[in-house]
Amino acid sequence: MNGAPITFPRGREVVLGVSAGIAAYKSCELLRRLQDQGFLVTVVPTLSSLNFVGKATWEALSGRPVSTSVWENADSVSHVSLADKCDLIIVAPATADVISRIAHGRADDLLTTTVLASAAPKLIVPAMHPQMWLNPATQDNVATLRVRGFIVMEPETGRLTGKDSGIGRFPETPKILSVVQSIAKTAPTLEGKKVIVSAGGTREPIDAVRFIGNRSSGRQGLAIAYEALRAGADVTVVSAATDPFELEGAHIIQVESAEQMKQAIEAEFIDADVLVMSAAVADFRVEESSIGKIKKEAFSGLKLVRNDDIVAAVGAKKLPHQVIVAFAAETASNLAELGEKKLRAKNADFLYVNDVSGGAVFGQEITSGLLLSMDGAPKVFHNVSKHDVAQEIVHSVSSRLESHG
Ligand code: CTP
């Protein structure tokens, strides 16, 4: 505990550039759907696009500050920090003007400067009048961008803003999202699902200053929460003591003891689809902890009593559509046998049993173990990252939910 801050792989940060087309209002929906799929979105509008959708709307929808110019928040050098931290830039809608400016390497506002300064993949979603789209100037600019590795979607054909129709319509949101998923290599397999992940180690109070704790850092649970967010889930982390972390987009409930964790999980599980019980929960607590500090002269021993088994209690009540993943930490050699026993005892769908002999696993990035399932062959992990295990758990849970329909 209290080790290095827990960091997460890149992959969720998107810059959504918006230029001055009437389709700007459709990007409000695109923004929302990107968020539903686990992306963290910073909106960078051009100044003239604010005539269609204002800054306040973008700030409210994204929950992040919005600038159009490099001169706003100049101390944070926004274009460089945005360009560095983003994993994908989407310009939607992209007008003939912004396409031209990007193709010519212009950097005359925050959006074009960010595009020029970033090595992230770039997706351009044009929307404009057919004459402007078909104009050789625009077509040449689009060809230039494609040669340079930009992905430029074809606009759709149909009714335009005025009475006329033709090619130039902003593509439907699902079409844009499927291109985004293929670039970002994400699959929103848990979209709309509520996932609870417990993480870290509980602390059982002895007195005002002492507790019984354990060596869990929370890394495995937080890696699962991160992967669930990337799969589009609505994620609640019930966090006991962990190494420091920041996990944007997750709802965090901080607890200390096993009893507090039980209360939080039971309340959250009622409308949840998935519980991943990766916390190291103390099996015992001090029967009567002292409000004040116990002086050593007054100390006469500790009476420990059993804590409830949270996952077993929740497992006993789980509904057919709900999926539970339990964990086990073992130091013996018959991991599979011990794990199978716990999987059944806790009525879990999956159980990741890891070998913690010799202090392995706790606080480290690397893990070895077995992912057991109620109805499939175990998956073996040997010296892999906790994110690899997290990805497999999220994949297994998604498949199980899918099979439930
Ligand atoms: N667990 C729980 N509530 C407890 C203790 C454990 O929900 N009071 C959960 C853990 O989060 C984990 C699983 O039960 O998902 C297995 O924990 P582990 O400590 O390995 O197993 P125990 O059942 O406590 O058995 P033992 O300590 O005897 O090996």
Side-chain angles (χ1 to χ4, degrees), residues 106 180 192 234:
R106 297 276 297 270
V180 170
D234 166 9

Side-chain angles (χ1 to χ4, degrees), residues 202 204 257-263 266 277 281-285 305-314 317 346:
T202 61
E204 307 303 315
S257 65
E259 280 189 315
Q260 290 170 359
M261 181 168 273
K262 182 168 186 257
Q263 274 179 23
E266 288 191 331
M277 194 67 200
V281 185
D283 286 321
F284 301 94
R285 68 178 181 279
V305 291
R306 283 278 293 271
N307 276 328
D308 291 341
D309 186 324
I310 305 170
V311 71
V314 172
K317 288 185 277 192
K346 293 167 195 278

Side-chain angles (χ1 to χ4, degrees), residues 43-365:
V43 182
V44 183
T46 62
L47 186 61
S48 43
S49 79
L50 298 182
N51 289 304
F52 292 107
V53 178
K55 194 165 155 174
T57 303
W58 292 125
E59 287 188 335
L61 289 176
S62 69
R64 290 180 164 191
V66 167
S67 308
T68 58
S69 151
V70 288
W71 304 114
E72 290 170 70
N73 309 315
D75 56 331
S76 64
V77 199
S78 342
H79 64 289
V80 177
S81 57
L82 275 175
D84 279 349
K85 86 169 182 185
C86 75
D87 302 296
L88 172 65
I89 298 180
I90 306 170
V91 185
T95 58
D97 175 65
V98 92
I99 288 173
S100 162
R101 287 194 288 132
I102 294 171
H104 288 83
R106 297 276 297 270
D108 41 13
D109 58 10
L110 183 57
L111 174 58
T112 50
T113 313
T114 304
V115 169
L116 199 61
S118 178
K122 296 165 196 90
L123 170 63
I124 306 289
V125 188
M128 66 195 76
H129 193 270
Q131 305 279 20
M132 295 174 88
W133 172 250
L134 295 170
N135 190 299
T138 305
Q139 288 300 309
D140 283 356
N141 289 332
V142 167
T144 302
L145 291 180
R146 285 182 173 147
V147 167
R148 290 182 190 156
F150 285 66
I151 296 162
V152 185
M153 287 182 73
E154 282 295 307
E156 288 184 358
T157 302
R159 175 85 193 271
L160 299 162
T161 317
K163 286 210 168 75
D164 46 354
S165 61
I167 187 164
R169 277 173 61 87
F170 191 67
E172 293 304 320
T173 307
K175 222 171 181 174
I176 303 172
L177 287 170
S178 78
V179 180
V180 170
Q181 286 154 20
S182 68
I183 301 171
K185 300 190 174 59
T186 56
T189 51
L190 291 179
E191 195 178 349
K193 302 291 181 196
K194 176 174 172 180
V195 175
I196 308 165
V197 181
S198 71
T202 61
R203 290 176 170 183
E204 307 303 315
I206 296 173
D207 65 11
V209 294
R210 304 178 181 99
F211 58 82
I212 301 172
N214 61 67
R215 300 179 58 201
S216 173
S217 64
R219 277 168 204 276
Q220 182 63 78
L222 293 163
I224 296 164
Y226 170 84
E227 292 300 336
L229 284 167
R230 255 170 51 88
D234 166 9
V235 177
T236 297
V237 177
V238 180
S239 174
T242 64
D243 288 347
F245 72 94
E246 255 182 62
L247 191 55
E248 203 179 333
H251 172 49
I252 312 288
I253 301 175
Q254 196 68 48
V255 296
E256 205 167 288
S257 65
E259 280 189 315
Q260 290 170 359
M261 181 168 273
K262 182 168 186 257
Q263 274 179 23
I265 287 177
E266 288 191 331
E268 291 295 322
F269 192 67
I270 293 167
D271 62 348
D273 299 282
V274 181
L275 168 66
V276 181
M277 194 67 200
S278 53
V281 185
D283 286 321
F284 301 94
R285 68 178 181 279
V286 178
E287 187 175 37
E288 273 183 55
S289 59
S290 164
I291 294 170
K293 183 184 169 194
I294 303 172
K295 302 299 279 180
K296 52 182 171 295
E297 296 75 29
F299 180 70
S300 58
L302 293 176
K303 180 156 190 248
L304 299 182
V305 291
R306 283 278 293 271
N307 276 328
D308 291 341
D309 186 324
I310 305 170
V311 71
V314 172
K317 288 185 277 192
K318 94 175 152 103
L319 299 170
H321 75 276
Q322 293 177 308
V323 175
I324 294 182
V325 184
F327 275 70
E330 302 292 353
T331 51
S333 56
N334 53 340
L335 287 188
E337 202 181 307
L338 294 172
E340 291 281 353
K341 232 166 120 184
K342 283 187 185 173
L343 178 72
R344 280 168 220 294
K346 293 167 195 278
N347 195 28
D349 298 83
F350 300 97
L351 184 136
Y352 182 70
V353 50
N354 53 43
D355 181 1
V356 292
S357 52
V361 178
F362 283 113
Q364 296 174 15
E365 289 294 348

